[in-house]
Coordinates of all heavy atoms in Angstrom, one line a residue:
A884 N -49.9 27.0 30.3 CA -50.6 27.9 29.6 C -49.6 28.8 28.8 O -48.6 29.1 29.4 CB -51.6 28.7 30.4
Q885 N -49.9 29.2 27.7 CA -49.0 30.0 26.9 C -48.9 31.4 27.5 O -47.9 32.0 27.4 CB -49.5 30.1 25.4 CG -48.6 30.8 24.5 CD -49.0 30.8 23.1 OE1 -50.1 30.2 22.7 NE2 -48.2 31.3 22.2
Y886 N -50.0 32.0 28.1 CA -50.0 33.2 28.6 C -50.5 33.1 30.2 O -51.6 33.4 30.5 CB -50.9 34.2 27.9 CG -50.5 34.3 26.5 CD1 -51.2 33.7 25.4 CD2 -49.4 35.1 26.1 CE1 -50.8 33.8 24.1 CE2 -49.0 35.3 24.8 CZ -49.7 34.6 23.8 OH -49.3 34.7 22.5
P887 N -49.6 32.8 31.0 CA -50.0 32.5 32.4 C -50.5 33.7 33.2 O -51.4 33.6 34.0 CB -48.7 31.9 33.1 CG -47.6 32.4 32.2 CD -48.1 32.4 30.8
Q888 N -50.1 34.9 32.7 CA -50.6 36.1 33.4 C -52.1 36.3 33.2 O -52.7 37.0 34.0 CB -49.8 37.4 32.9 CG -49.9 37.7 31.4 CD -49.0 36.9 30.5 OE1 -48.4 35.9 30.9 NE2 -48.8 37.4 29.3
R889 N -52.7 35.6 32.2 CA -54.1 35.8 32.0 C -54.9 35.0 33.2 O -56.0 35.4 33.4 CB -54.5 35.0 30.7 CG -54.1 35.8 29.5 CD -54.6 35.1 28.3 NE -54.3 35.7 27.1 CZ -54.4 35.3 25.8 NH1 -55.0 34.1 25.7 NH2 -54.0 35.9 24.8
Y890 N -54.2 34.1 33.8 CA -54.9 33.3 34.9 C -54.4 33.7 36.3 O -54.9 33.2 37.3 CB -54.5 31.8 34.7 CG -54.9 31.3 33.4 CD1 -54.1 31.2 32.3 CD2 -56.3 30.9 33.2 CE1 -54.5 30.8 31.1 CE2 -56.7 30.5 31.9 CZ -55.8 30.4 30.9 OH -56.2 30.0 29.7
E891 N -53.5 34.7 36.3 CA -53.0 35.2 37.6 C -54.1 35.6 38.6 O -55.0 36.3 38.2 CB -51.9 36.3 37.4 CG -51.1 36.6 38.6 CD -50.1 37.6 38.3 OE1 -49.5 37.7 37.2 OE2 -49.7 38.3 39.2
N892 N -54.0 35.2 39.8 CA -54.9 35.5 40.9 C -56.4 35.0 40.6 O -57.4 35.6 41.0 CB -54.9 37.0 41.2 CG -55.4 37.3 42.6 OD1 -55.2 36.5 43.5 ND2 -56.0 38.4 42.8
T893 N -56.5 34.0 39.8 CA -57.8 33.3 39.6 C -57.7 31.9 40.2 O -56.7 31.3 40.4 CB -58.2 33.3 38.2 OG1 -57.2 32.4 37.4 CG2 -58.2 34.6 37.6
N894 N -58.9 31.2 40.4 CA -58.9 29.9 40.8 C -58.8 29.0 39.5 O -59.4 29.3 38.5 CB -60.3 29.6 41.4 CG -60.3 30.1 42.9 OD1 -59.4 30.2 43.6 ND2 -61.5 30.6 43.2
V895 N -58.0 28.0 39.6 CA -57.8 27.0 38.5 C -57.9 25.6 39.0 O -57.7 25.3 40.2 CB -56.4 27.3 37.8 CG1 -56.3 28.6 37.2 CG2 -55.2 27.0 38.8
N896 N -58.2 24.7 38.1 CA -58.3 23.3 38.4 C -57.3 22.6 37.4 O -57.3 22.8 36.2 CB -59.6 22.7 38.1 CG -60.6 23.3 39.0 OD1 -60.4 23.5 40.2 ND2 -61.8 23.6 38.5
I897 N -56.4 21.8 38.0 CA -55.4 21.0 37.1 C -55.2 19.7 37.7 O -55.6 19.4 38.8 CB -54.1 21.8 37.0 CG1 -53.4 21.9 38.4 CG2 -54.2 23.2 36.5 CD1 -51.9 22.2 38.3
Q898 N -54.6 18.8 36.8 CA -54.3 17.5 37.3 C -52.9 17.2 37.0 O -52.3 17.7 36.0 CB -55.2 16.5 36.5 CG -54.9 15.0 36.9 CD -56.0 14.0 36.3 OE1 -57.1 14.3 36.3 NE2 -55.4 12.9 35.8
G899 N -52.2 16.5 37.8 CA -50.8 16.2 37.6 C -50.3 15.1 38.5 O -51.1 14.5 39.2
I900 N -49.0 14.9 38.5 CA -48.4 13.9 39.2 C -47.5 14.5 40.4 O -46.7 15.4 40.0 CB -47.5 12.9 38.4 CG1 -48.4 12.3 37.3 CG2 -46.8 11.9 39.1 CD1 -47.7 11.7 36.2
I901 N -47.6 14.1 41.6 CA -46.7 14.6 42.6 C -45.3 14.1 42.4 O -45.0 12.9 42.3 CB -47.3 14.1 44.0 CG1 -48.6 14.9 44.2 CG2 -46.3 14.5 45.1 CD1 -49.2 14.6 45.6
E902 N -44.4 15.1 42.4 CA -43.0 14.8 42.2 C -42.2 14.8 43.4 O -41.4 13.8 43.6 CB -42.4 15.9 41.2 CG -40.9 15.7 40.9 CD -40.5 16.8 39.9 OE1 -41.3 17.7 39.6 OE2 -39.3 16.6 39.5
K903 N -42.5 15.7 44.4 CA -41.8 15.8 45.7 C -42.8 16.4 46.7 O -43.6 17.2 46.3 CB -40.5 16.7 45.6 CG -39.4 16.2 44.7 CD -38.3 17.3 44.7 CE -37.2 16.9 43.7 NZ -36.3 17.9 43.6
T904 N -42.7 15.9 47.9 CA -43.6 16.5 48.9 C -42.7 17.0 50.1 O -41.7 16.4 50.4 CB -44.6 15.4 49.5 OG1 -43.8 14.3 50.1 CG2 -45.4 14.8 48.5
Y905 N -43.2 18.1 50.7 CA -42.6 18.6 51.9 C -43.7 18.9 52.9 O -44.9 18.6 52.6 CB -41.9 20.0 51.5 CG -40.8 19.7 50.5 CD1 -41.0 19.8 49.1 CD2 -39.5 19.4 50.9 CE1 -40.0 19.5 48.3 CE2 -38.5 19.1 50.1 CZ -38.8 19.2 48.7 OH -37.7 19.0 47.8
K906 N -43.4 19.5 54.1 CA -44.4 19.7 55.1 C -45.6 20.5 54.7 O -46.7 20.3 55.0 CB -43.8 20.2 56.3 CG -44.7 20.3 57.5 CD -44.0 20.7 58.8 CE -44.9 20.6 60.0 NZ -44.1 20.9 61.2
T907 N -45.4 21.6 54.0 CA -46.4 22.6 53.7 C -46.6 22.8 52.2 O -47.4 23.6 51.7 CB -46.1 23.9 54.3 OG1 -44.8 24.4 53.9 CG2 -46.1 23.9 55.8
Y908 N -45.9 22.0 51.3 CA -46.1 22.2 49.9 C -45.7 20.9 49.2 O -45.0 20.0 49.8 CB -45.4 23.5 49.3 CG -43.9 23.4 49.5 CD1 -43.1 23.0 48.4 CD2 -43.3 23.7 50.7 CE1 -41.7 22.9 48.5 CE2 -41.8 23.7 50.7 CZ -41.1 23.3 49.7 OH -39.7 23.2 49.8
F909 N -46.0 20.8 47.8 CA -45.5 19.7 47.0 C -45.3 20.2 45.6 O -45.8 21.4 45.3 CB -46.4 18.5 47.1 CG -47.8 18.7 46.6 CD1 -48.2 18.7 45.3 CD2 -48.8 19.1 47.6 CE1 -49.5 18.9 44.9 CE2 -50.1 19.3 47.2 CZ -50.4 19.2 45.8
Y910 N -44.5 19.5 44.9 CA -44.3 19.8 43.5 C -45.2 18.9 42.6 O -45.2 17.7 42.8 CB -42.8 19.6 43.0 CG -41.9 20.6 43.5 CD1 -41.3 20.6 44.7 CD2 -41.6 21.8 42.7 CE1 -40.4 21.6 45.1 CE2 -40.8 22.7 43.1 CZ -40.2 22.7 44.3 OH -39.3 23.7 44.7
L911 N -45.9 19.6 41.7 CA -46.8 18.9 40.8 C -46.2 19.0 39.4 O -45.8 20.1 39.0 CB -48.3 19.6 40.8 CG -49.4 18.8 40.1 CD1 -49.7 17.5 40.9 CD2 -50.6 19.7 40.1
T912 N -46.2 17.9 38.7 CA -45.6 17.9 37.4 C -46.5 17.2 36.4 O -47.6 16.5 36.7 CB -44.2 17.0 37.4 OG1 -43.6 17.2 36.1 CG2 -44.5 15.6 37.7
D913 N -46.3 17.5 35.1 CA -47.1 16.9 34.0 C -46.6 15.5 33.8 O -45.5 15.1 34.3 CB -47.0 17.7 32.7 CG -45.6 17.7 32.1 OD1 -44.6 17.8 32.8 OD2 -45.6 17.6 30.9
P914 N -47.3 14.7 33.0 CA -46.9 13.2 32.8 C -45.5 13.1 32.2 O -44.9 12.1 32.4 CB -48.0 12.7 31.9 CG -49.2 13.5 32.2 CD -48.6 14.9 32.5
D915 N -45.1 14.0 31.4 CA -43.8 14.0 30.7 C -42.7 14.5 31.7 O -41.5 14.4 31.3 CB -43.8 14.7 29.4 CG -44.7 14.1 28.5 OD1 -45.0 12.9 28.5 OD2 -45.4 14.9 27.7
G916 N -43.0 15.1 32.8 CA -42.0 15.7 33.6 C -41.4 17.0 33.1 O -40.3 17.4 33.6
K917 N -41.9 17.5 32.1 CA -41.4 18.7 31.4 C -41.8 20.0 32.2 O -40.9 20.9 32.3 CB -42.0 18.8 30.0 CG -41.3 19.9 29.1 CD -41.9 19.9 27.8 CE -41.3 21.0 26.9 NZ -41.8 21.0 25.5
Y918 N -43.0 20.1 32.8 CA -43.4 21.3 33.5 C -43.7 20.9 35.0 O -44.2 19.8 35.2 CB -44.6 21.9 32.8 CG -44.4 22.2 31.4 CD1 -44.9 21.4 30.4 CD2 -43.7 23.4 31.1 CE1 -44.7 21.8 29.1 CE2 -43.5 23.7 29.8 CZ -44.0 23.0 28.8 OH -43.7 23.3 27.5
S919 N -43.5 21.8 35.9 CA -43.8 21.6 37.3 C -44.2 22.9 38.0 O -43.8 23.9 37.5 CB -42.7 20.9 38.0 OG -41.6 21.7 38.2
V920 N -45.0 22.8 39.0 CA -45.5 23.9 39.8 C -45.5 23.6 41.3 O -45.8 22.4 41.6 CB -46.9 24.5 39.2 CG1 -47.9 23.4 39.5 CG2 -47.1 25.8 39.8
V921 N -45.2 24.5 42.1 CA -45.3 24.4 43.5 C -46.7 24.6 43.9 O -47.4 25.5 43.5 CB -44.4 25.4 44.2 CG1 -44.6 25.3 45.8 CG2 -42.9 25.2 43.9
V922 N -47.2 23.7 44.8 CA -48.6 23.8 45.3 C -48.4 23.9 46.8 O -48.0 23.0 47.5 CB -49.4 22.5 45.0 CG1 -50.8 22.7 45.5 CG2 -49.5 22.2 43.5
Y923 N -48.8 25.1 47.3 CA -48.8 25.3 48.8 C -50.0 24.8 49.4 O -51.1 25.2 49.0 CB -48.6 26.8 49.1 CG -47.2 27.3 48.8 CD1 -47.1 28.2 47.7 CD2 -46.2 27.1 49.6 CE1 -45.8 28.6 47.4 CE2 -45.0 27.5 49.3 CZ -44.8 28.3 48.2 OH -43.5 28.9 47.9
D924 N -49.8 23.9 50.3 CA -51.0 23.2 51.0 C -50.6 22.7 52.3 O -50.0 21.7 52.5 CB -51.5 22.1 50.1 CG -52.7 21.4 50.8 OD1 -53.3 21.9 51.7 OD2 -53.1 20.3 50.3
S925 N -50.8 23.5 53.3 CA -50.4 23.1 54.7 C -51.2 22.1 55.3 O -50.9 21.5 56.3 CB -50.3 24.4 55.6 OG -51.6 24.9 55.7
T926 N -52.4 21.7 54.7 CA -53.3 20.8 55.4 C -53.1 19.4 54.9 O -53.3 18.4 55.6 CB -54.7 21.2 55.1 OG1 -55.0 21.3 53.7 CG2 -55.0 22.6 55.7
S927 N -52.8 19.2 53.6 CA -52.7 17.8 53.1 C -51.4 17.4 52.3 O -51.4 16.4 51.8 CB -53.9 17.5 52.2 OG -53.9 18.3 51.1
A928 N -50.4 18.2 52.3 CA -49.2 18.0 51.6 C -48.6 16.7 51.9 O -47.9 16.0 51.2 CB -48.2 19.2 51.7
T929 N -48.7 16.3 53.3 CA -48.1 15.0 53.6 C -48.9 13.8 53.5 O -48.5 12.7 53.8 CB -47.7 15.1 55.1 OG1 -48.8 15.5 55.9 CG2 -46.6 16.2 55.3
N930 N -50.2 13.9 53.0 CA -51.1 12.9 52.8 C -50.9 12.2 51.4 O -51.6 11.2 51.1 CB -52.5 13.3 52.9 CG -52.9 13.8 54.2 OD1 -52.3 13.4 55.2 ND2 -53.9 14.6 54.3
F931 N -49.9 12.6 50.6 CA -49.7 12.1 49.3 C -48.2 11.7 49.2 O -47.4 12.1 49.9 CB -50.0 13.1 48.3 CG -51.5 13.6 48.4 CD1 -51.8 14.8 48.9 CD2 -52.5 12.8 47.8 CE1 -53.1 15.2 49.0 CE2 -53.8 13.1 47.9 CZ -54.1 14.4 48.5
S932 N -48.0 10.8 48.2 CA -46.6 10.3 47.9 C -46.2 10.6 46.6 O -47.1 10.8 45.6 CB -46.6 8.8 48.1 OG -47.1 8.5 49.4
K933 N -44.9 10.6 46.3 CA -44.3 10.7 45.0 C -45.0 9.7 44.0 O -45.1 8.5 44.3 CB -42.8 10.5 45.0 CG -42.2 10.7 43.7 CD -40.7 10.5 43.8 CE -40.1 10.6 42.3 NZ -38.7 10.5 42.4
G934 N -45.4 10.2 42.9 CA -46.0 9.4 41.9 C -47.5 9.4 41.9 O -48.2 8.9 41.0
D935 N -48.2 9.9 42.9 CA -49.6 10.0 43.0 C -50.2 10.9 42.0 O -49.6 12.0 41.8 CB -50.1 10.4 44.4 CG -50.0 9.4 45.5 OD1 -49.7 8.2 45.1 OD2 -50.1 9.7 46.7
T936 N -51.2 10.6 41.3 CA -51.9 11.4 40.4 C -53.0 12.2 41.1 O -53.8 11.5 41.8 CB -52.4 10.7 39.2 OG1 -51.4 10.1 38.5 CG2 -53.2 11.7 38.3
V937 N -53.0 13.5 41.1 CA -54.0 14.3 41.9 C -54.7 15.3 41.0 O -54.1 15.8 40.0 CB -53.4 14.9 43.1 CG1 -52.8 13.8 44.1 CG2 -52.2 15.9 42.7
A938 N -55.9 15.7 41.5 CA -56.6 16.8 40.9 C -56.4 17.9 41.9 O -56.6 17.7 43.1 CB -58.0 16.5 40.6
V939 N -56.1 19.2 41.5 CA -55.9 20.3 42.4 C -56.8 21.5 42.0 O -56.9 21.8 40.8 CB -54.4 20.8 42.4 CG1 -54.2 22.0 43.3 CG2 -53.5 19.6 42.9
G940 N -57.4 22.1 42.9 CA -58.2 23.3 42.7 C -57.6 24.3 43.6 O -57.6 24.1 44.8
A941 N -57.0 25.4 43.1 CA -56.3 26.4 43.9 C -56.2 27.7 43.2 O -56.6 27.9 42.1 CB -54.8 25.8 44.2
R942 N -55.6 28.7 44.0 CA -55.4 30.0 43.5 C -54.1 30.0 42.7 O -53.1 29.6 43.2 CB -55.5 31.0 44.6 CG -55.1 32.5 44.2 CD -56.4 33.2 43.7 NE -57.5 33.2 44.5 CZ -58.6 33.9 44.1 NH1 -58.7 34.4 43.0 NH2 -59.7 33.7 44.9
F943 N -54.1 30.6 41.5 CA -52.9 30.7 40.7 C -52.3 32.1 40.9 O -52.9 33.1 40.6 CB -53.2 30.5 39.2 CG -52.1 30.5 38.2 CD1 -51.2 29.3 38.3 CD2 -51.8 31.5 37.4 CE1 -50.2 29.3 37.3 CE2 -50.8 31.4 36.5 CZ -49.9 30.3 36.5
L944 N -51.0 32.1 41.5 CA -50.4 33.3 41.9 C -49.0 33.4 41.4 O -48.3 32.5 41.1 CB -50.3 33.4 43.5 CG -51.7 33.2 44.3 CD1 -51.4 33.1 45.7 CD2 -52.5 34.5 44.0
Y945 N -48.5 34.7 41.3 CA -47.1 35.0 40.9 C -46.3 35.2 42.2 O -46.8 36.2 43.0 CB -47.0 36.1 39.9 CG -45.6 36.3 39.5 CD1 -45.0 35.4 38.6 CD2 -44.8 37.4 39.9 CE1 -43.7 35.5 38.2 CE2 -43.5 37.5 39.5 CZ -42.9 36.6 38.6 OH -41.7 36.7 38.2
E946 N -45.3 34.5 42.4 CA -44.5 34.6 43.6 C -43.3 35.5 43.2 O -42.3 35.0 42.7 CB -44.1 33.2 44.1 CG -43.5 33.2 45.5 CD -43.3 31.7 45.9 OE1 -42.5 31.1 45.3 OE2 -44.1 31.3 46.8
Q947 N -43.3 36.8 43.5 CA -42.3 37.7 43.1 C -40.9 37.4 43.6 O -40.0 37.5 42.9 CB -42.8 39.1 43.6 CG -41.8 40.3 43.1 CD -41.8 40.5 41.7 OE1 -42.8 40.5 41.0 NE2 -40.6 40.7 41.1
E948 N -40.9 37.0 44.9 CA -39.5 36.8 45.5 C -38.8 35.7 44.8 O -37.6 35.6 44.8 CB -39.7 36.6 47.0 CG -40.5 35.4 47.5 CD -42.0 35.7 47.6 OE1 -42.4 36.7 47.1 OE2 -42.6 34.9 48.1
N949 N -39.5 34.7 44.3 CA -38.9 33.5 43.6 C -39.1 33.6 42.1 O -38.7 32.6 41.4 CB -39.5 32.3 44.2 CG -39.0 32.1 45.6 OD1 -37.9 32.2 45.9 ND2 -40.0 31.7 46.5
L950 N -39.7 34.6 41.6 CA -39.9 34.8 40.1 C -40.6 33.6 39.5 O -40.1 33.0 38.5 CB -38.6 35.1 39.4 CG -37.9 36.3 40.0 CD1 -36.6 36.5 39.3 CD2 -38.7 37.6 39.8
R951 N -41.7 33.1 40.1 CA -42.4 31.9 39.5 C -43.9 31.9 39.9 O -44.3 32.6 40.8 CB -41.8 30.6 40.1 CG -42.0 30.5 41.6 CD -41.3 29.2 42.2 NE -41.6 29.2 43.6 CZ -41.0 28.3 44.5 NH1 -40.2 27.4 43.9 NH2 -41.2 28.3 45.7
Y952 N -44.6 31.2 39.1 CA -46.0 31.0 39.4 C -46.2 29.8 40.3 O -45.5 28.9 40.3 CB -46.8 30.8 38.1 CG -47.0 32.0 37.3 CD1 -46.1 32.3 36.2 CD2 -47.9 32.9 37.6 CE1 -46.2 33.4 35.4 CE2 -48.0 34.1 36.8 CZ -47.2 34.4 35.8 OH -47.3 35.5 35.1
V953 N -47.2 29.9 41.2 CA -47.4 28.9 42.2 C -48.9 28.7 42.3 O -49.8 29.5 41.9 CB -46.8 29.1 43.6 CG1 -45.3 29.3 43.5 CG2 -47.5 30.4 44.2
L954 N -49.4 27.5 42.9 CA -50.7 27.3 43.3 C -50.8 27.4 44.7 O -50.0 26.8 45.5 CB -51.2 26.0 42.7 CG -51.3 25.9 41.3 CD1 -51.6 24.5 40.8 CD2 -52.3 26.8 40.7
K955 N -51.9 28.0 45.4 CA -52.0 28.1 46.7 C -53.4 27.7 47.1 O -54.4 28.3 46.7 CB -51.8 29.5 47.2 CG -51.8 29.6 48.8 CD -51.3 31.0 49.3 CE -51.3 31.0 50.8 NZ -50.9 32.3 51.2
I956 N -53.4 26.7 48.0 CA -54.8 26.3 48.5 C -55.0 27.1 49.7 O -54.4 27.0 50.8 CB -54.7 24.7 48.9 CG1 -54.6 24.0 47.5 CG2 -56.0 24.3 49.6 CD1 -54.4 22.5 47.6
S957 N -56.0 28.0 49.6 CA -56.3 29.0 50.7 C -57.7 29.3 51.0 O -58.0 30.1 51.8 CB -55.5 30.3 50.4 OG -55.9 30.8 49.1
E958 N -58.6 28.7 50.2 CA -60.0 29.0 50.4 C -60.8 27.7 50.5 O -60.3 26.6 50.2 CB -60.5 29.7 49.0 CG -59.9 31.0 48.8 CD -60.2 31.6 47.4 OE1 -61.3 31.2 46.9 OE2 -59.4 32.4 47.0
P959 N -62.0 27.7 51.2 CA -62.7 26.5 51.4 C -63.1 25.6 50.2 O -63.3 24.5 50.3 CB -64.0 27.0 52.1 CG -63.6 28.4 52.6 CD -62.6 28.9 51.8
T960 N -63.1 26.3 49.0 CA -63.5 25.6 47.8 C -62.3 24.9 47.2 O -62.4 24.2 46.2 CB -64.1 26.5 46.8 OG1 -63.3 27.6 46.5 CG2 -65.4 27.1 47.3
H961 N -61.1 25.2 47.7 CA -59.9 24.6 47.1 C -59.7 23.2 47.6 O -60.1 22.9 48.7 CB -58.6 25.4 47.5 CG -58.6 26.8 46.9 ND1 -57.8 27.8 47.3 CD2 -59.3 27.3 45.9 CE1 -58.0 28.9 46.6 NE2 -58.9 28.6 45.7
F962 N -59.0 22.4 46.8 CA -58.8 20.9 47.2 C -57.7 20.3 46.5 O -57.1 20.8 45.6 CB -60.1 20.2 46.6 CG -60.3 20.3 45.1 CD1 -59.7 19.4 44.3 CD2 -61.0 21.3 44.6 CE1 -59.9 19.5 43.0 CE2 -61.2 21.5 43.2 CZ -60.7 20.5 42.4
V963 N -57.4 19.1 47.0 CA -56.5 18.2 46.4 C -57.1 16.8 46.6 O -57.4 16.4 47.7 CB -55.0 18.1 47.1 CG1 -54.1 17.1 46.4 CG2 -54.4 19.5 47.1
H964 N -57.3 16.1 45.5 CA -57.9 14.8 45.5 C -57.1 13.9 44.7 O -56.7 14.1 43.6 CB -59.4 14.8 44.8 CG -60.3 15.7 45.6 ND1 -60.7 15.5 46.8 CD2 -61.0 16.8 45.2 CE1 -61.5 16.4 47.2 NE2 -61.8 17.2 46.2
K965 N -56.7 12.7 45.3 CA -56.1 11.6 44.6 C -56.9 11.1 43.6 O -58.1 10.8 43.8 CB -55.6 10.6 45.6 CG -54.7 9.5 45.0 CD -54.2 8.7 46.0 CE -53.3 7.5 45.3 NZ -52.7 6.6 46.3
Q966 N -56.4 10.9 42.4 CA -57.2 10.2 41.3 C -56.8 8.8 41.3 O -55.7 8.3 41.3 CB -56.7 10.9 39.9 CG -56.9 12.3 39.8 CD -58.3 12.8 39.9 OE1 -58.8 13.3 41.0 NE2 -59.1 12.5 38.9
E967 N -57.9 7.9 41.1 CA -57.7 6.5 41.1 C -57.2 6.1 39.6 O -57.6 6.7 38.7 CB -59.0 5.8 41.3 CG -59.5 6.0 42.7 CD -58.6 5.7 43.8 OE1 -57.9 4.6 43.7 OE2 -58.5 6.4 44.8
E968 N -56.3 5.2 39.6 CA -55.7 4.8 38.3 C -56.4 3.7 37.7 O -57.1 3.0 38.2 CB -54.2 4.4 38.6 CG -53.4 5.5 39.1 CD -52.0 5.1 39.4 OE1 -51.5 4.1 38.9 OE2 -51.4 5.9 40.1

């Protein structure tokens, strides 16, 4: 988004490709690999693999200590769903 602060602390839905996975988070990127965002998800981060296309519903937050925007799955309505190709 051109003005990410407009979406700060709101729920957002996005789709992207998993670039890297870790125990409690993963990196989601756009199809061109130009933009990426960290998605914190302690429940399903390990259920996906690099290259999977997923839809994510999460809270869009600014992480002050790392000076970046992140997505955090922290509410019952939040999700990560693998998209079929």
